[in-house]
Amino acid sequence: MKHLSKLPNVGTTIFSVMSALANKHDAINMSQGFPNFKSDKNLIDLVSQAMCSGYNQYAPMPGNMELREAIAKKMDLLYNSTYNPEDEITITAGATQAIYTIISAFIKPKDEVIIFRPAYDCYEPAIEINGGKTISIQLTAPNYTIDWDEVESKFSSKTKMIIINTPQNPSGTVFSNANMLALQKLTQDSNCIVLSDEVYEHIIYDGLQHQSVCRFSNLKSRSFITASFGKTFHNTGWKVGYCCAPKTLMSEFRKVHQFNVFSVNSPMQKALADYLKEPSNYLNLSEFYQAKRDLFLSLIKHSRFKFKPAKGTYFQVLDFSEITQVGDVEFAKQLTVEYGLASIPLSVFNNNNRDDKVLRFCFAKTDETIKKAAAILNSI
């Protein structure tokens, strides 16, 4: 029996490939983006308390109201931006589900969606499965700056959505205030929706300020924000995130959400609601991860790898062009098998697998792991 695939060009993700290779060869896994240290015990205890208190049945479809209220307070505190927890915030099964649901709710066959490459790998398949057309803007290593004239040349009445990711995975770059103003100017007289993937909003370095779309009134009126508690609180396996948007957009989102997952893990929502009452639990994250970034880079500064320090996320891109001219996928596998260190090649996120000879390393690891990884990199 034969079936026509809706995603004929999609195979196993590079994350699964590299993690499996790391496991097979007992390599240090700095490929997939998850911490190898524990979540705050206080948060774990709050989950247990929630379970013991009876939060074990379906949560409301839009999410636990206490959690939505806590998110609204956070958005107001950080960005002086108001979202109504009743009808403008929805709790999701991680940011990826939120992204898929947004695209499914709005993208129809032949609608065009602009993305910036290297792009996280969940965007294009969601566009494709809904019949949309991906319009890629390729950014160039090592700076990954945006040419807004190029974006404008590809923007048209067919452009239904633009997806941005700041801080950006995999490049570790961030959108500046000027970038956001350019985006606002480009979209302000259109029907284009902006999907702003802000899962690393609390992980930003060197005194920079996260430029959320909700800081810009015209952008906010046409935008979704997606976010991830898993990335923020070191528990990616919980798969709890959320999205924010004006009521008119969120009402369409919930039409799809209710038949996709309906509701999300109830005790963890209650625990997160209580945990968010203390802002230091997320306000201190930049300092925490910058110390890890700085440790990693200080240890490899005399290696043959070249780099520009990541401005956000817990990923660092390293240029290996002075070491070898083999392809980045081949070198990533060689590094895993022969040296015992797994990373992610960036070509898989680029147009036509463009190879800039760079690898992405996740430094959301214990200091001990970072030191062992640095020693390997220094030996190459």
Side-chain angles (χ1 to χ4, degrees):
M1 194 173 186
K2 294 183 178 180
H3 300 281
L4 186 63
S5 174
K6 296 183 77 173
L7 294 172
N9 300 315
V10 173
T12 305
T13 71
I14 191 66
F15 304 105
S16 297
V17 170
M18 295 309 300
S19 284
L21 198 63
N23 290 335
K24 180 178 179 180
H25 294 277
D26 196 26
I28 296 171
N29 191 352
M30 295 183 80
S31 59
Q32 203 164 357
F34 60 84
N36 73 336
F37 46 82
K38 295 179 179 179
S39 299
D40 185 350
K41 184 178 183 301
N42 292 333
L43 179 54
I44 303 296
D45 289 344
L46 287 171
V47 175
S48 296
Q49 291 173 27
M51 289 180 176
C52 292
S53 299
Y55 287 85
N56 299 303
Q57 308 308 324
Y58 292 123
M61 182 271 285
N64 177 297
M65 179 54 82
E66 290 180 80
L67 180 53
R68 285 183 278 153
E69 290 173 345
I71 292 166
K73 289 179 180 177
K74 180 175 79 80
M75 302 301 281
D76 187 48
L77 172 67
L78 292 179
Y79 311 123
N80 194 29
S81 187
T82 301
Y83 286 97
N84 186 333
E86 181 66 39
D87 48 29
E88 295 186 324
I89 299 173
T90 302
I91 309 304
T92 61
T96 301
Q97 183 252 313
I99 290 164
Y100 185 88
T101 301
I102 293 163
I103 293 169
S104 297
F106 292 96
I107 297 306
K108 301 179 179 65
K110 299 184 179 179
D111 283 343
E112 294 184 356
V113 181
I114 292 176
I115 68 172
F116 297 92
R117 292 187 181 276
Y120 188 61
D121 65 349
C122 77
Y123 305 149
E124 188 169 18
I127 296 164
E128 184 178 350
I129 207 166
N130 284 284
K133 180 180 180 182
T134 301
I135 306 297
S136 296
I137 307 290
Q138 179 65 55
L139 308 183
T140 303
N143 296 317
Y144 300 100
T145 53
I146 296 173
D147 180 347
W148 287 100
D149 289 335
E150 180 186 0
V151 181
E152 186 174 3
S153 73
K154 295 186 177 182
F155 186 84
S156 71
S157 58
K158 296 179 182 179
T159 308
K160 185 63 179 284
M161 184 179 291
I162 295 179
I163 301 177
I164 66 170
N165 177 203
T166 182
Q168 206 261 5
N169 174 18
S171 71
T173 56
V174 301
F175 270 53
S176 65
N177 180 267
N179 285 146
M180 302 305 284
L181 290 174
L183 178 61
Q184 180 168 257
K185 181 180 179 181
L186 178 69
T187 58
Q188 63 185 359
D189 295 320
S190 73
N191 290 318
C192 180
I193 294 167
V194 174
L195 195 171
S196 187
D197 180 353
E198 302 184 16
V199 300
Y200 298 101
E201 63 176 321
H202 301 301
I203 307 174
I204 193 164
Y205 309 129
D206 304 322
L208 294 177
Q209 190 175 52
H210 174 55
Q211 300 298 320
S212 174
V213 291
C214 67
R215 292 182 182 272
F216 305 84
S217 58
N218 188 277
L219 273 181
K220 179 181 177 180
S221 70
R222 66 178 65 255
S223 296
F224 279 92
I225 292 172
T226 62
S228 165
F229 290 118
K231 299 297 187 184
T232 301
F233 295 134
H234 325 314
N235 44 46
T236 58
W238 291 10
K239 294 299 291 181
V240 181
Y242 62 91
C243 65
C244 304
K247 180 180 179 180
T248 53
L249 296 179
M250 188 59 75
S251 63
E252 294 302 312
F253 175 93
R254 288 181 179 178
K255 289 178 184 178
V256 178
H257 174 78
Q258 68 180 335
F259 297 114
N260 186 350
V261 296
F262 183 74
S263 66
V264 178
N265 192 302
S266 185
M268 289 173 180
Q269 288 192 59
K270 170 59 177 170
L272 288 163
D274 293 337
Y275 196 65
L276 284 173
K277 291 176 181 177
E278 177 46 66
S280 64
N281 287 327
Y282 52 84
L283 292 178
N284 294 335
L285 280 169
S286 289
E287 181 180 358
F288 173 77
Y289 275 119
Q290 181 162 342
K292 291 188 176 296
R293 182 204 67 173
D294 291 348
L295 172 64
F296 183 47
L297 295 183
S298 70
L299 291 172
I300 64 169
K301 64 183 178 182
H302 298 304
S303 74
R304 292 199 289 163
F305 291 88
K306 296 185 295 182
F307 56 81
K308 288 200 169 185
K311 296 299 183 183
T313 76
Y314 45 53
F315 303 111
Q316 177 63 51
V317 172
L318 301 183
D319 180 325
F320 64 85
S321 60
E322 293 185 356
I323 299 172
T324 179
Q325 287 301 303
V326 303
D328 64 349
V329 174
E330 181 182 347
F331 186 58
K333 291 180 178 179
Q334 179 184 341
L335 195 60
T336 306
V337 174
E338 297 180 15
Y339 292 89
L341 179 60
S343 60
I344 294 291
L346 260 67
S347 65
V348 299
F349 306 118
N350 287 333
N351 276 344
N352 303 313
N353 297 117
R354 173 193 172 111
D355 188 352
D356 290 319
K357 301 293 184 285
V358 291
L359 303 176
R360 190 202 76 172
F361 294 80
C362 174
F363 55 82
K365 308 297 176 183
T366 63
D367 289 357
E368 180 185 8
T369 299
I370 290 172
K371 290 174 183 177
K372 288 179 179 178
I376 292 171
L377 295 172
N378 287 331
S379 72
I380 297 172

